[in-house]
Amino acid sequence: MLSTTKENYIQIPTGGTPLKLVRITAPRAPLSELSVRKRKCRVHKLQKTRTILSGSSEDADLMLEDELRALSTEKKEQLLHDAGITVNILPMQGLAIKSMLFIP
């Protein structure tokens, strides 16, 4: 017997762990051509899918952290640059961080 939930997936009971079927549609247009509203919609759908895959919203956050860790340093820097995020550390703050981390 199939059961549907509010989470937009269908759960199929098996002899062991039940299977969850999730509908993932193929995009008609690339993300770069979408409006900000549609991009936010896709991000929300991706977050919901990540939650289903990981089991809970807390585990979805861990999964996202793992995804970010898997990116190369160059890719992370490029993403921050593209997002307009800059990190400015004053010389005195840098010195304090170095002393806290025991870096000469």
Side-chain angles (χ1 to χ4, degrees):
M1 176 171 193
L2 300 177
S3 64
T4 59
T5 65
K6 295 177 187 176
E7 309 296 327
N8 294 328
Y9 63 82
I10 297 173
Q11 188 164 328
I12 302 172
T14 63
T17 305
L19 297 176
K20 292 181 181 179
L21 302 178
V22 181
R23 186 185 81 177
I24 299 175
T25 56
R28 291 186 212 158
L31 194 65
S32 59
E33 296 178 6
L34 296 180
S35 66
V36 174
R37 183 172 161 256
K38 289 288 185 182
R39 289 173 76 161
K40 286 182 180 180
C41 247
R42 280 202 191 165
V43 168
H44 182 68
K45 286 180 183 179
L46 183 60
Q47 288 172 339
K48 287 172 89 175
T49 304
R50 190 179 285 115
T51 301
I52 292 169
L53 287 173
S54 63
S56 69
S57 59
E58 293 83 16
D59 290 338
D61 292 340
L62 290 173
M63 182 182 274
L64 182 58
E65 288 174 18
D66 290 340
E67 289 175 31
L68 291 173
R69 275 193 202 100
L71 295 175
S72 67
T73 303
E74 294 81 19
K75 184 65 176 175
K76 289 176 195 174
E77 289 174 358
Q78 185 63 42
L79 288 172
L80 290 173
H81 181 267
D82 293 346
I85 299 171
T86 57
V87 179
N88 296 321
I89 300 176
L90 299 174
M92 291 304 290
Q93 290 174 330
L95 186 61
I97 291 169
K98 282 183 174 183
S99 67
M100 288 170 43
L101 297 174
F102 302 108
I103 299 173

